[in-house]
Amino acid sequence: MTEHARPARPARILVVGGGIGGLATALAVARRGHRVLVLERAERFAEIGAGIQIAPNGIHALWRLGLGDRVCATAVHMDELRFMDGRTGKHVVSMPLTADYRRRFGSPYVVVHRAELHSLLLDACRRTGTVELRGSSAVVGYEQDATGAAVVLEGGGRIAGDAVVGADGIHSALRHRLVGDGSPRVSGISVYRTVLPMDRVPEEFRGNHVTWWAGPGCHFVHYPIAGGTSLNLAASWDGGLTEAFAGVPAPREQVLTRLAGLAGQAPQRLLRLGEDWKTWMLVDRDPVDDWTDGRVTLLGDAAHPMLHYAAQGACQALEDAVVLGDLLDCPASSFPRRLRTYNGLRRERTAAVQLVARRSVSLWHPAGAEADDRNAMLASLSATELHDHVAWMHTPTPLTGGPKAR
């Protein structure tokens, strides 16, 4: 409980989207005494994808949802973030994530399989007794009046409630109605992803660290997931393509050709081991100040979609959920005002993360002398200075709870 009074009559809150952000929101709101209906377009509640990095700000949000210990027990705890020059294979700098980092930020930096985190949230929602999960429910719009809000389903059905939260991702139908900013921005960067069983991975790549290999116009990231039984591979190529696509199978030869700028033997050795590659065009949106309309608001990628280079997409959605849950510890009559407060509390922080994720490409993709200067700058930084650089993102905000040492 927060300082807010528990509502005398439980409200009914409709959450559109059954991904990580939607389920976290359902759990946060249900813990405030409300009934929640989660509407998912797909038939089943499931999560695709591979690894997620969760910094301490995300871990603290999970603790607020009652899942921090369970996530930390199943996740792989990272010892360092390694930056490598992919042209030469040389180590440039590492940011340690062990004792000093954990003391400063109050928790570890972990990686989990996306499906593992989704499963924990799904199970927690089912155990509340006040969260209903409904698949095959594609939402195409919303309606509202002074006393309530409703979603409009594909085919014309209508479901009424006291508030609507759109957690339906970057292609959000609710955002289309509420913000109306068209299609997402195509970044021109393609990402190739696959997962390797750890028993196929050479010993030198098996440590508990996130490793970046930076090259001209491309870079490659890998880290262990699924309790250390698999290695997640993600290779980015800035080829300037202009069309969006998602989950397209890609031959290994295409990956190797487009990542040829990583001339070091080590990254090429690991890339060659990859099989069953799939590729996505990375897309995001410009930050907006307003994603709330009366009793309707947006959350996570529907509100502030970002490139994955700051490793904060899931963390920011979890923060959103906790803040929203705290604010909706009130009667339904107060929802419009509280949703407006939520929007105001979250927009500057999330916009800053969106923009730093975009700008980070300039760190990964330089060539020649510019890459040499980058290496020299990074190598000059101490562990404390590296921690200072990420502190504004990784420190839990006052709205998501203070440090809880682990």
Side-chain angles (χ1 to χ4, degrees), residues 168-177 179-187 282-288 298 300-307 350-351 353-355 357-358:
D168 48 342
I170 193 167
H171 299 288
S172 169
L174 297 191
R175 183 185 178 110
H176 179 74
R177 159 79 190 281
V179 180
D181 55 351
S183 299
R185 183 192 73 101
V186 175
S187 72
L282 297 183
V283 296
D284 68 355
R285 293 184 184 273
D286 292 331
V288 294
L298 305 177
D301 281 350
H304 43 73
M306 56 192 66
L307 301 183
T350 57
V353 180
Q354 284 178 283
L355 295 176
R358 281 188 188 177

Side-chain angles (χ1 to χ4, degrees), residues 200 250-257 271-275 277:
R200 293 189 54 219
R252 180 190 299 162
E253 293 72 22
Q254 183 182 102
V255 180
L256 295 174
T257 297
L271 286 168
R272 288 191 187 96
L273 290 175
E275 298 177 348
W277 291 94

Side-chain angles (χ1 to χ4, degrees), residues 194-251:
T194 193
V195 175
L196 278 176
M198 196 62 78
D199 59 12
R200 293 189 54 219
V201 176
E203 190 67 33
E204 65 187 280
F205 302 115
R206 294 190 184 188
N208 286 350
H209 40 74
V210 179
T211 301
W212 288 277
W213 302 90
C218 64
H219 74 279
F220 172 38
V221 182
H222 55 84
Y223 49 85
I225 57 171
T229 62
S230 299
L231 191 71
N232 186 63
L233 311 182
S236 294
W237 172 67
D238 193 351
L241 301 182
T242 59
E243 297 295 325
F245 52 86
V248 178

